[in-house]
Amino acid sequence: MIKKSILVCAVLLCLHAAWVARFPDRGMPTHQFQDNVVKVQRFLYAESPYALVGTSLSARILKDSIPEVASIAFGGSSVKNGLRLVLFKPEAPRVLFVETNLLLRESDAGFIDRALAPFPYAVKRVVPSLREQYQPICLFADLMLGATGVNPQQGAATVNREFLERCIEDALAADTVSPPDRARGRMERVASLLSGIEAKGTRLVFFEMPVHPRLEGLASFGQVRELVEERFPRTRYAYVPRDTAAYLTTDGMHLDYDGQCRFSGYFRSCIRGCIGAGDGARGAGPADGSE
C-alpha cells in the first residue's frame, strides 16, 4: 500500500512537472501576497533587461502594454523591497523604471528574505514546478479563467462613488509630512540601493503614477518629489513626464480599469525610446523632460 502511494505520488509529480515544462506561462495568483511571491520568482529566474519597481499603484500598469518590462511592483509593500531584489540578482537590468509616489514607504520584507534564502532559491531555480506560480490552486484558477473568458483586471471597472469620496476625505485629513531628518534618512537608504544598482550599469528612469486630482497636491507627495529631485536631479537622470490628465480611481490612489488602460498606453509611449535603442546615455531619451 505504501509503495503504491509513493508510486502514485511520483507519477502525479512527474505529470505536474511535464505540464509546467509544456506550459510555462500558465498559472494565476489568487491573492495579493501570492501575486507578490510569483513576481519575485519570475524576476529571479528569467532574464530581465528591463524592470519596473513600485507599489500597488504601479502594479495597475497593464502587463500586456509593456511585455518587455518585468514588473516587481508589489501590492501592500514598498519600492525598497523591489530594489533589494534587483540588487541581489547577478544580471542587472539595462533600464530600471522606479515609481516615486510612495518611495519612502517602509514595509515588511519577509517574503523577500524567504525568496532569497540560499536553499529555496537554488531548489526552485532547478525545479520550476515548485514555484508559487505552478501551485495546483494557481493552475486551476488559470484554467477556470480561460474557460469563462473573464478579464480579472476588469474587477476595478466599477467605482463606488460613496466609498471613493470617503477615501479621499480620509487621505486629505491624514496628510502630513514626515520629520525632515526621518524623511532624509529614508531617502538615503533608498538612494543607497539605487546607487548600488546604478553602479552595475543600470540606467534609472523615475516616474509618478497618477492619483485622483484632489490628492495630487498632498503635502506628503510634495515632500517625496522634492527629496527625489534633490537626490536625483533631472539634469542627470531621466524622468517620465508626469501625466496631468484627470483620472478616476477606486479609492483615490489606485486607478480604475479605464484609468489603467489609459495610463498604460501613456506610459508605453513615454518609455518607448528607453527600450532597445534608447538604452545609451543616462540622461537621454523620450522619458526625459519636465512636467
Side-chain angles (χ1 to χ4, degrees):
M1 186 67 180
I2 295 177
K3 290 182 179 179
K4 185 177 181 180
S5 298
I6 293 174
L7 179 61
V8 170
C9 181
V11 169
L12 290 175
L13 289 174
C14 289
L15 289 174
H16 179 252
W19 173 276
V20 169
R22 178 67 179 83
F23 303 104
D25 296 328
R26 304 307 293 266
M28 187 190 77
T30 58
H31 53 81
Q32 180 175 276
F33 180 78
Q34 193 173 60
D35 183 56
N36 288 345
V37 175
V38 167
K39 285 179 177 178
V40 168
Q41 293 174 350
R42 283 176 177 169
F43 178 75
L44 285 177
Y45 303 123
E47 184 179 351
S48 306
Y50 312 102
L52 178 153
V53 290
T55 64
S56 57
L57 275 65
S58 52
R60 295 293 178 103
I61 296 177
L62 300 180
K63 177 62 180 172
D64 290 347
S65 68
I66 50 171
E68 309 94 331
V69 181
S71 173
I72 41 177
F74 300 131
S77 186
S78 70
V79 177
K80 192 163 74 171
N81 287 339
L83 296 178
R84 285 185 57 211
L85 195 64
V86 175
L87 198 56
F88 171 85
K89 192 173 179 179
E91 308 86 10
R94 294 202 292 271
V95 182
L96 180 66
F97 301 97
V98 184
E99 176 206 317
T100 61
N101 299 65
L102 303 173
L103 192 62
L104 304 188
R105 170 192 277 182
E106 299 280 359
S107 68
D108 176 48
F111 74 103
I112 296 289
D113 294 333
R114 287 189 290 274
L116 301 185
F119 183 72
Y121 171 77
V123 170
K124 290 175 183 179
R125 173 178 285 278
V126 176
V127 188
S129 58
L130 296 180
R131 299 173 194 171
E132 193 76 16
Q133 176 181 349
Y134 305 122
Q135 295 296 310
I137 187 63
C138 296
L139 295 176
F140 179 74
D142 194 353
L143 289 173
M144 291 299 294
L145 193 67
T148 59
V150 174
N151 182 349
Q153 292 172 312
Q154 287 185 330
T158 303
V159 175
N160 183 319
R161 299 284 181 162
E162 182 179 345
F163 175 75
L164 171 61
E165 186 63 27
R166 187 163 64 248
C167 289
I168 291 173
E169 292 300 328
D170 289 345
L172 291 170
D175 183 33
T176 183
V177 298
S178 298
D181 289 346
R182 181 187 301 172
R184 288 188 180 279
R186 289 183 176 179
M187 183 71 245
E188 284 307 312
R189 287 192 289 275
V190 171
S192 177
L193 293 172
L194 286 168
S195 296
I197 294 168
E198 190 179 19
K200 297 171 74 172
T202 299
R203 180 190 180 200
L204 304 179
V205 178
F206 298 93
F207 71 97
E208 184 173 336
M209 288 294 296
V211 295
H212 193 279
R214 290 177 59 192
L215 300 183
E216 286 184 349
L218 289 179
S220 54
F221 285 167
Q223 183 182 40
V224 174
R225 290 182 192 123
E226 182 179 334
L227 288 171
V228 171
E229 294 193 27
E230 177 184 297
R231 185 64 177 74
F232 299 96
R234 290 178 181 267
T235 53
R236 293 187 56 222
Y237 293 90
Y239 283 75
V240 173
R242 188 151 60 98
D243 189 355
T244 57
Y247 279 89
L248 186 61
T249 63
T250 57
D251 58 2
M253 300 288 281
H254 299 86
L255 297 176
D256 72 336
Y257 183 67
D258 287 341
Q260 289 177 254
C261 294
R262 285 173 53 204
F263 182 76
S264 296
Y266 171 82
F267 187 77
R268 169 70 183 178
S269 66
C270 287
I271 70 169
R272 187 178 294 121
C274 298
I275 297 177
D279 291 348
R282 177 186 301 167
D288 293 348
S290 56
E291 297 155 18

